[in-house]
């Protein structure tokens, strides 16, 4: 007897746009620009343009497996670039414009991307990047007039992608590769402080999308209009450029305009039903409506993640907007969704990150990675595994998982009796501010190199708006002085602007642990609780 078989159907990401173009051809992708201007296009037309992007890239010698970088905002043109790159089997390497040019150049050196697709208003940053790397041979500009880019030789060619699309010839088939092929590359700050590349695959992102669309997670349908306020350069934009076309939902993109007034206008004009982003975005929206008035009757849900949600802010959003706030937790290495609070859950709290949906598993261990005997109502080190969880970082030989396939998140966590996840701390010292990681060790190394400074430490302090903000503690060298302004000004241009600490505090003697290292636990206990700690230390020593 011969068993029956099922068809081979590779789980490649182009199938989401193929489906939308065929069955939801007129459902729109809407992009907001300055001055209240909006672009809109149906999925069928968007697919046709994305395939022309593929033709342009093929004409530049891009093949399956090659990396193509993007430095762009949330726009139609960026979505077209995503699908044009991924559909042909190339790898979309998203770059975060909030980082510095040296950081981004280092990432390009690792990915060896020869093509860079950049938003016109980010051209000055692109020029700084290409001056520091020899990998980029051609820059395509989107979303604006073709700027003049001045960089040190050898200068890459610069073209308007729109003009190239008009002249593109030939066709390249989409999906002619294995579902396990890489689709994207996103660098994240690891616990060692060095940027680590996370390689996404088509299969992983496809399965992540199916998990995301479950009713207990996002539960999107063709009746939804989804506002994507999470950047496309951050962890697959939480998978929304895949999830929306998968069900034919309207995809609403704010460009770089994520202030409260701009988002309110966009939500009102496009009938947005669900919005997704970090808490600070929604704080800005609420403050705008509280100050200027107005209602958003179409909006029913807001999903937050990337940073802790303050209970007071959650209550404020729900009461003012009349929406349900869904908390979630994830990380770049998870593609990125890990857990989510179900929208209809009667037991809701800002403290919880919800429960995992099918396709992701959680485990609490001790510090050595041994599973805890009890997995409920105890704190442990959080590990995860699943088909959308990283196995190995880009360019590294050693796996990022243990022998049983568990990935150590670096978080401390607790699971309640219902399986809700509570992130209780981090086993490392990274600071998460506004949904983005700040690496204290990079700042400390720069400051400690100053001749006026003996030792330096950076810790996080709770912040109502950003979740956490860094503060800098310094022990000055004997008979040396330097002003707070000079310390912070020294960091300008060497780290991302939002990495620069909010405050400088002086200590007579830096506390040291048994091994001679700075005791950060003691620093956090004494100076990390709030303004009163700042006042206390300010009284111990006059600021220079």
């Amino acid at each position: 007897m011969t068993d029956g078989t099922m068809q081979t159907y590779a789980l490649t990401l182009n199938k989401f746009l193929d489906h939308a173009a065929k069955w939801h051809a007129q459902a729109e992708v809407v992009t907001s620009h300055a001055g209240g201007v909006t672009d809109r296009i149906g999925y069928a037309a968007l697919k046709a343009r994305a395939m022309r992007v593929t033709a342009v890239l093929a004409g530049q010698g891009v093949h399956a497996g090659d990396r193509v970088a993007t430095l762009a905002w949330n726009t139609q043109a960026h979505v077209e670039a995503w699908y044009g790159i991924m559909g042909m089997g190339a790898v979309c390497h998203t770059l975060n414009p909030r980082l510095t040019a040296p950081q981004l150049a280092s990432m390009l050196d690792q990915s060896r991307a020869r093509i860079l697709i950049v938003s016109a208003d980010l051209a000055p940053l692109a020029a700084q990047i290409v001056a520091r790397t020899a990998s980029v041979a051609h820059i395509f500009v989107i979303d604006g007039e073709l700027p003049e880019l001045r960089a040190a030789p050898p200068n890459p060619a610069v073209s308007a992608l729109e003009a190239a699309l008009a002249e593109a010839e030939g066709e390249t088939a989409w999906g002619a590769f294995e579902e396990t092929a890489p689709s994207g590359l996103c660098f994240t700050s690891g616990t060692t402080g060095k940027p680590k590349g996370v390689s996404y695959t088509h299969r992983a992102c496809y399965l992540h999308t199916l998990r995301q669309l479950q009713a207990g997670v996002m539960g999107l349908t063709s009746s939804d209009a989804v506002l994507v306020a999470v950047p496309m350069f951050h962890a697959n934009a939480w998978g929304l450029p895949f999830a929306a076309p998968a069900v034919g939902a309207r995809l609403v993109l704010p460009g770089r305009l994520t202030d409260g007034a701009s988002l309110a206008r966009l939500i009102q004009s496009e009938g947005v039903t669900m919005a997704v982003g970090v808490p600070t975005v929604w704080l800005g929206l609420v403050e705008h409506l509280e100050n200027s008035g107005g209602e958003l009757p179409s909006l029913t849900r807001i999903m937050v993640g990337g940073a802790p949600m303050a209970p007071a802010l959650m209550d404020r959003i729900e009461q003012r907007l009349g929406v349900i706030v869904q908390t979630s937790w994830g990380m770049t290495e998870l593609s990125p969704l890990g857990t989510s609070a179900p929208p209809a859950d009667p037991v809701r709290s800002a403290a919880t990150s919800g429960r995992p949906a099918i396709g992701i598993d959680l485990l609490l261990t001790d510090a050595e990675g041994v599973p805890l005997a009890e997995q409920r109502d105890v704190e442990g080190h959080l590990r995860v595994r699943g088909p959308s969880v990283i196995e190995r970082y880009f360019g590294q030989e050693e796996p990022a998982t243990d022998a049983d396939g568990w990935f150590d998140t670096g978080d401390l966590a607790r699971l309640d009796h219902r399986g809700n996840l509570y992130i209780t701390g981090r086993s490392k010292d990274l600071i998460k501010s506004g949904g983005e990681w700040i690496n204290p060790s990079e700042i400390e190394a720069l400051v400690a190199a100053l001749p006026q400074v003996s030792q330096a430490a950076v810790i996080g302090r709770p912040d109502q708006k950003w979740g956490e903000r860094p503060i800098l503690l310094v022990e000055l060298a004997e008979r040396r002085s330097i002003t707070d302004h000079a310390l912070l000004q020294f960091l300008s241009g060497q780290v991302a602007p939002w990495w620069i600490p909010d405050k400088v505090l002086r200590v007579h003697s830096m506390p040291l642990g048994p091994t001679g290292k700075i005791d950060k636990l003691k620093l956090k206990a004494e100076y990390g609780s709030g303004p009163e700690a700042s006042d206390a230390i300010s009284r111990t020593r006059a600021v220079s």
Side-chain angles (χ1 to χ4, degrees):
M1 181 174 64
T2 302
D3 284 329
T5 60
M6 291 292 175
Q7 296 179 15
T8 299
Y9 185 89
L11 305 182
T12 56
L13 296 173
N14 57 283
K15 289 185 169 64
F16 292 134
L17 190 52
D18 291 341
H19 173 84
K22 183 174 182 179
W23 301 107
H24 304 280
Q26 302 308 313
E28 292 178 327
V29 173
V30 179
T31 302
S32 178
H33 299 286
V37 177
T38 55
D39 292 335
R40 57 189 68 243
I41 188 173
Y43 280 122
L46 186 140
K47 178 191 172 183
R49 287 176 55 83
M51 295 195 78
R52 296 189 74 81
V53 172
T54 297
V56 169
L57 296 176
Q60 291 291 322
V62 175
H63 298 94
D66 291 343
R67 268 77 64 184
V68 176
T70 68
L71 181 70
W73 308 107
N74 291 21
T75 66
Q76 170 193 323
H78 200 181
V79 173
E80 292 167 354
W82 268 34
Y83 278 100
I85 296 166
M86 298 179 193
M88 70 184 299
V91 182
C92 184
H93 175 193
T94 53
L95 296 172
N96 185 342
R98 296 172 181 167
L99 299 178
T100 64
Q103 289 172 316
L104 295 171
S106 174
M107 295 171 186
L108 281 174
D109 283 339
Q110 294 178 63
S111 76
R112 300 178 183 175
R114 294 185 300 105
I115 307 294
L116 173 61
I117 299 174
V118 58
S119 290
D121 61 354
L122 292 173
L125 176 59
Q128 296 177 47
I129 295 168
V130 298
R132 291 170 169 83
T133 179
S135 68
V136 177
H138 201 121
I139 295 175
F140 285 104
V141 177
I142 59 175
D143 295 324
E145 297 296 324
L146 188 65
E148 181 178 354
L149 290 178
R150 291 188 176 91
N155 293 324
V158 181
S159 306
L161 183 57
E162 189 65 35
L165 295 182
E167 299 173 359
E169 296 181 355
E171 293 185 0
T172 300
W174 277 3
F177 46 84
E178 297 293 327
E179 64 180 26
T180 53
S183 60
L185 175 63
C186 181
F187 278 79
T188 179
S189 293
T191 54
T192 64
K194 297 180 180 179
K196 295 180 180 179
V198 177
S199 294
Y200 301 114
T201 68
H202 285 263
R203 179 179 184 271
C205 292
Y206 197 107
L207 295 175
H208 178 276
T209 302
L210 298 184
R211 185 168 77 249
Q212 189 176 34
L213 291 173
Q214 292 178 44
V217 187
M218 287 191 178
L220 298 178
T221 73
S222 60
S223 299
D224 281 305
V226 187
L227 173 63
V228 186
V230 60
M232 289 178 65
F233 51 76
H234 180 73
N236 280 329
W238 297 3
L240 288 162
F242 308 135
V247 296
R250 177 182 292 187
L251 187 63
V252 182
L253 305 169
R256 65 177 302 171
L257 304 176
T258 56
D259 60 283
S262 297
L263 292 181
R265 285 195 299 269
L266 194 56
I267 292 169
Q268 289 170 337
S269 64
E270 299 302 326
V272 169
T273 60
M274 183 175 186
V276 184
V278 297
T280 51
V281 170
W282 311 123
L283 173 60
L285 176 64
V286 168
E287 288 180 339
H288 167 74
L289 293 175
E290 289 174 342
N291 293 331
S292 63
E295 301 295 333
L296 305 175
S298 65
L299 190 63
T300 60
R301 284 188 292 155
I302 288 178
M303 176 172 274
V304 297
M309 166 62 83
L313 178 57
M314 180 172 171
D315 292 341
R316 187 176 170 191
I317 291 173
E318 291 191 336
Q319 292 171 11
R320 178 61 182 83
L321 302 182
V323 301
I324 292 174
V325 172
Q326 283 183 263
T327 53
S328 67
W329 167 82
M331 54 195 308
T332 305
E333 289 91 339
L334 274 59
S335 300
L337 182 65
T339 62
S340 165
D345 195 339
V347 182
R348 301 172 53 257
S349 167
T352 179
S353 299
R355 299 190 290 275
I358 185 68
I360 194 83
D361 200 7
L362 310 180
L363 178 72
L364 297 179
T365 75
D366 63 15
E368 285 70 44
V370 178
L372 300 181
E374 296 293 333
Q375 291 286 309
R376 295 291 190 271
D377 297 317
V378 293
E379 185 181 70
H381 292 253
L382 179 63
R383 299 191 176 214
V384 297
R385 68 180 178 187
S388 301
V389 177
I390 191 172
E391 182 178 56
R392 182 170 49 249
Y393 285 102
F394 178 77
Q396 297 190 9
E397 296 297 329
E398 293 298 317
T401 57
D402 64 20
D404 295 318
W406 292 100
F407 172 72
D408 184 357
T409 67
D411 285 320
L412 297 173
R414 177 175 63 85
L415 296 167
D416 69 13
H417 69 284
R418 300 175 67 238
N420 287 305
L421 176 68
Y422 294 79
I423 301 295
T424 57
R426 285 186 287 278
S427 58
K428 300 295 181 181
D429 293 325
L430 298 182
I431 298 167
K432 204 166 195 180
S433 181
E436 299 281 354
W437 289 111
I438 296 174
N439 181 15
S441 65
E442 292 189 26
I443 304 172
E444 291 161 355
L446 290 168
V447 174
L450 290 169
Q452 299 93 331
V453 176
S454 174
Q455 297 190 86
V458 173
I459 62 173
R461 173 177 288 177
D463 184 274
Q464 185 175 3
K465 180 176 182 180
W466 301 107
E468 282 186 306
R469 288 296 300 152
I471 60 171
L472 171 64
L473 297 103
V474 294
E475 176 186 339
L476 295 185
E478 190 174 355
R479 292 187 297 275
R480 293 289 191 120
S481 65
I482 186 171
T483 66
D484 293 355
H485 176 76
L487 281 168
L488 299 180
Q489 186 64 33
F490 172 72
L491 294 171
S492 181
Q494 300 198 74
V495 298
W498 48 275
W499 279 33
I500 295 177
D502 283 358
K503 197 173 188 67
V504 178
L505 305 179
R506 315 299 183 94
V507 297
H508 290 294
S509 178
M510 197 72 72
L512 302 178
T515 62
K517 294 181 180 180
I518 293 175
D519 188 343
K520 283 200 171 181
L521 290 177
K522 187 173 182 179
L523 287 177
K524 290 177 181 178
E526 293 187 24
Y527 309 124
S529 59
E532 60 280 357
S534 170
D535 294 339
I537 194 170
S538 295
R539 290 192 295 270
T540 67
R541 180 167 183 163
V543 174
S544 298

